[in-house]
Amino acid sequence: MKIDRRTALGLFGAGVATPACARGVPPAPGTPGARFVHGVASGDPSPTGVVLWTRITPGDPAQTEPIRLVVQVWPWDSGRGATDVVGTAYGNAGPERDWTVKIDLDRDEAFNALEPGRDYAFQFRIAAGEADQVSSVGRFRTLPAEDSAEEVVLAVASCSLHPGGWFNAYQAIAELERVDAVVHLGDYIYEYGAGERDYGMRTGLELNRIPEPPHEIVTLDDYRRRHAQYKTDRQAQAAHARAAWIMTFDDHEVTNDPWEGGAQNHNADEGDWSARKAAALTAYLEWNPIREPQSGVPLHDTVRRSFRFGRTAALHMVETRLSARSRQLEYEDITAPDGTIDRTRLEDPARQLMGAAQLDWLGDSMANGATWQVLGNQVLMARLVVPDLVAAVGRAAIEAAMPGLADYQQRRLREMADLGAAQAPLNLDAWDGYPAERARLYAKVRQADARLIVLTGDSHAAWASNLHDVQGQVGVEFGGTAISSPQPSYSRALPGAPMAELTVAASPDLQWCEFEPRGFFVLSLTPQRAQCRMMGVSSILSPDFSTDERARFTVPARTSGLGPLERR
């Protein structure tokens, strides 16, 4: 299926978030030259509201006085006459939150007229500013009524590396005919610098997409500047303006491969880990349309929340990186002297990924009676196995490929060649590195009698899997490829080898995978079936592109449980 290119949404911009939203307070004076340059966004929809977000850039960089903003909301299909506006609210943007503002319509009595399951438009302006000091127009859809059984359409995305290429997949999402919400599964930004050998910079230098600031980000100011750069991208702005986003973070919003007590990409000379984590999460919450945490709730728990789409589905967003994760294993940790996998070490029940408190919350949240229980999750849950490359292509072909590979590709290829006969997990950073925790999650799914659909990002490849425990099928998983991040290194390590087919053949759960192209997927849900359309864009090296459907899968809802994936 081809999607024709259409004119991009006109966007001007805005940035971080301030929850302040007071009605009846006289507007503060505007600022000459103040502009909206980071777009508008909405997120965390409910049947009666949403969180609206923007940022104002003061005309005077030295300004410290807050700027008063006003937002108006009206039905999307109306003419926006004087009688069409259903609510108006004010918010203050100031330097303490990097000139961002959030307005939560569920906490403002002016918006009690919003109806479930309806599309609305919104626009910010400076309350006492010049007539042309207005933002672009955004759009959102409220969640359906509790008793609704209507179809739900979600666009699912992850992994947008700014230097990696154009955000054409975001533009394709903006051009979808229907999307009720965008589910973003993390790696919204990346932390790396602009050095010639930094991640993605070969492409970044070719396209002049240079990270800002040009060093690896560590401080609050660093993270704010990096978020600001991403939100100046017109294609990202278009996707934000198209629909409300429901977001969680993965690792690169902080740094690569974190765990409860540190991260692979955090060194002693980069300061205190807790301080870096707090800075990253503060900027993430400021710069994204996520409902503000209640008093006393840790920042990393803010993304743990549920959304009810009537009787059709419930979406549960989880956190698997910072709050409870045990440190990742390395292959040398679980490889016995005879080359086999030490299953006792791998399956240690003390190893956690979500933690008991979050698992209990999820188990309770899934017992809600909706047809589908959808999990917004970061890392792959399916059992994936390193294929036996030596058996497939021979040791000589593997050695012959080595000279043309980068050092990290050589290491990965040798690792896979050595482990291929041992039935080793493909990725120890994913749920395969925490099988006891995965078993505990599956037990919660069975206890809730849930029809489980897992949505996953992180891997930079597309996947479709039937999930199994010892009792049989427990759910399905759809893993999305990246917006612009490079495909997995192991998929490119052995040129000419059918790596996708070999991985499917070796892996018990996996039904289909594809390492190219970049893209996203669309999940459509009704009480009778779930359908996933894997979408790819033709290029990320040019803003000229087409979008096509790479694969389509259907899952039937049965009286008890769900059926296996059916490719259509």
Side-chain angles (χ1 to χ4, degrees):
M1 180 185 71
K2 296 287 185 181
I3 298 177
D4 295 333
R5 301 284 293 114
R6 294 194 285 271
T7 303
L9 297 175
L11 297 160
F12 298 97
V16 164
T18 34
C21 173
R23 301 180 61 247
V25 179
T31 301
R35 297 174 298 138
F36 295 93
V37 296
H38 296 93
V40 298
S42 62
D44 284 10
S46 73
T48 57
V50 75
V51 174
L52 302 180
W53 176 96
T54 194
R55 182 183 192 261
I56 189 72
T57 301
D60 179 2
Q63 179 166 343
T64 59
E65 292 297 315
I67 298 175
R68 195 81 166 140
L69 302 180
V70 61
V71 64
Q72 289 186 322
V73 178
W74 64 95
W76 175 257
D77 56 0
S78 76
R80 199 193 175 186
T83 60
D84 294 321
V85 174
V86 298
T88 300
Y90 293 97
N92 289 326
E96 71 282 353
R97 288 181 63 104
D98 205 15
W99 300 99
T100 64
V101 64
K102 287 182 193 175
I103 296 177
D104 187 345
L105 301 191
D106 278 320
R107 298 178 182 176
D108 191 297
E109 61 185 23
F111 289 89
N112 57 13
L114 295 191
E115 301 174 8
R118 186 165 185 184
D119 288 277
Y120 290 92
F122 67 98
Q123 185 176 43
F124 287 89
R125 62 179 172 83
I126 296 178
E130 301 168 12
D132 62 348
Q133 289 177 303
V134 297
S135 74
S136 54
V137 174
R139 178 179 181 180
F140 67 88
R141 183 176 179 85
T142 51
L143 297 186
E146 186 174 338
D147 61 350
S148 168
E150 67 183 55
E151 183 180 27
V152 176
V153 180
L154 306 173
V156 184
S158 62
C159 304
S160 46
L161 177 67
H162 189 271
W166 290 87
F167 289 165
N168 291 337
Y170 279 155
Q171 185 66 50
I173 289 172
E175 295 172 356
L176 289 173
E177 183 173 347
R178 178 176 175 186
V179 55
D180 297 339
V182 176
V183 179
H184 199 286
L185 299 173
D187 291 347
Y188 182 87
I189 65 167
Y190 281 74
E191 79 275 21
Y192 301 110
E196 187 175 342
R197 298 177 64 86
D198 281 331
Y199 188 57
M201 282 309 298
R202 179 176 178 180
T203 301
L205 290 169
E206 292 175 359
L207 300 180
N208 195 31
R209 290 174 71 89
I210 310 301
E212 170 59 35
H215 53 264
E216 184 172 326
I217 53 178
V218 176
T219 68
L220 177 58
D221 181 65
D222 289 342
Y223 284 103
R224 284 172 166 174
R225 289 168 65 188
R226 188 63 56 86
H227 278 284
Q229 179 184 39
Y230 275 62
K231 283 224 171 45
T232 59
D233 185 278
R234 294 302 181 95
Q235 294 175 310
Q237 289 183 10
H240 275 294
R242 174 61 181 85
W245 283 39
I246 299 172
M247 305 175 69
T248 187
F249 54 76
D250 194 16
D251 53 342
H252 292 289
E253 287 86 351
V254 184
T255 194
N256 186 58
D257 285 358
W259 54 288
E260 186 180 15
Q264 177 274 329
N265 193 32
H266 181 76
N267 305 314
D269 61 357
E270 291 173 319
D272 178 71
W273 166 243
S274 296
R276 182 180 188 179
K277 181 171 66 173
L281 295 178
T282 296
Y284 180 79
L285 289 174
E286 288 174 346
W287 277 90
N288 289 298
I290 295 174
R291 189 161 280 109
E292 290 294 303
Q294 297 178 350
S295 177
V297 175
L299 292 180
H300 57 240
D301 280 349
T302 306
V303 297
R304 189 181 77 185
R305 61 216 194 278
S306 294
F307 301 86
R308 182 70 181 268
F309 292 83
R311 291 188 288 114
T312 302
L315 171 64
H316 313 286
M317 305 297 283
V318 300
E319 194 282 300
T320 64
R321 285 293 184 183
L322 302 174
S323 59
R325 179 191 275 257
S326 303
R327 190 167 189 166
Q328 295 90 338
L329 293 168
E330 301 292 341
Y331 283 116
E332 54 263 33
D333 298 327
I334 60 168
T335 304
D338 63 357
T340 61
I341 298 300
D342 182 350
R343 299 289 169 181
T344 301
R345 179 76 185 275
L346 177 63
E347 297 170 8
D348 182 356
R351 292 180 50 73
Q352 298 186 118
L353 191 64
M354 291 176 61
Q358 190 172 186
L359 280 171
D360 288 345
W361 165 81
L362 181 60
D364 292 341
S365 299
M366 288 189 295
N368 57 53
T371 300
W372 302 102
Q373 302 301 317
V374 184
L375 190 62
N377 158 73
Q378 290 83 359
V379 293
L380 287 165
M381 190 171 291
R383 291 177 295 164
L384 305 176
V385 174
V386 175
D388 192 343
L389 299 183
V390 175
V393 302
R395 179 72 68 173
I398 295 171
E399 292 301 325
M402 290 293 179
L405 301 177
D407 290 346
Y408 74 93
Q409 290 177 308
Q410 291 186 20
R411 288 193 301 271
R412 182 60 167 152
L413 182 54
R414 290 192 190 282
E415 196 172 56
M416 292 181 71
D418 292 341
L419 291 168
Q423 292 286 296
L426 184 64
N427 183 359
L428 293 174
D429 181 58
W431 283 88
D432 266 336
Y434 305 81
E437 186 85 323
R438 180 170 56 196
R440 289 189 284 266
L441 171 60
Y442 288 171
K444 296 288 187 182
V445 174
R446 291 199 178 278
Q447 185 178 357
D449 195 23
R451 299 179 186 87
L452 177 68
I453 299 177
V454 179
L455 313 180
T456 301
D458 180 68
S459 71
H460 308 176
W463 314 81
S465 300
N466 292 314
L467 302 177
H468 298 90
D469 63 5
V470 295
Q471 299 179 55
Q473 186 177 1
V474 70
V476 298
E477 178 179 38
F478 299 115
T481 186
I483 296 294
S484 61
S485 302
Q487 68 190 84
S489 61
Y490 59 82
S491 71
R492 298 168 287 153
L494 192 56
M499 197 65 73
E501 291 85 349
L502 291 173
T503 306
V504 171
S507 303
D509 289 348
L510 185 60
Q511 305 300 302
W512 173 87
C513 75
E514 185 175 74
F515 297 119
E516 285 284 3
R518 307 300 82 193
F520 61 101
F521 66 91
V522 177
L523 181 69
S524 302
L525 302 167
T526 71
Q528 293 76 39
R529 60 104 182 107
Q531 183 185 82
C532 172
R533 294 185 294 136
M534 296 288 185
M535 311 299 293
V537 296
S538 60
S539 174
I540 59 172
L541 301 180
S542 165
D544 297 322
F545 70 97
S546 60
T547 307
D548 71 331
E549 182 179 295
R550 309 293 299 179
R552 180 181 298 200
F553 301 92
T554 300
V555 183
R558 294 178 173 170
T559 303
S560 178
L562 73 175
L565 295 168
E566 301 173 7
R567 187 168 180 183
R568 297 293 178 88

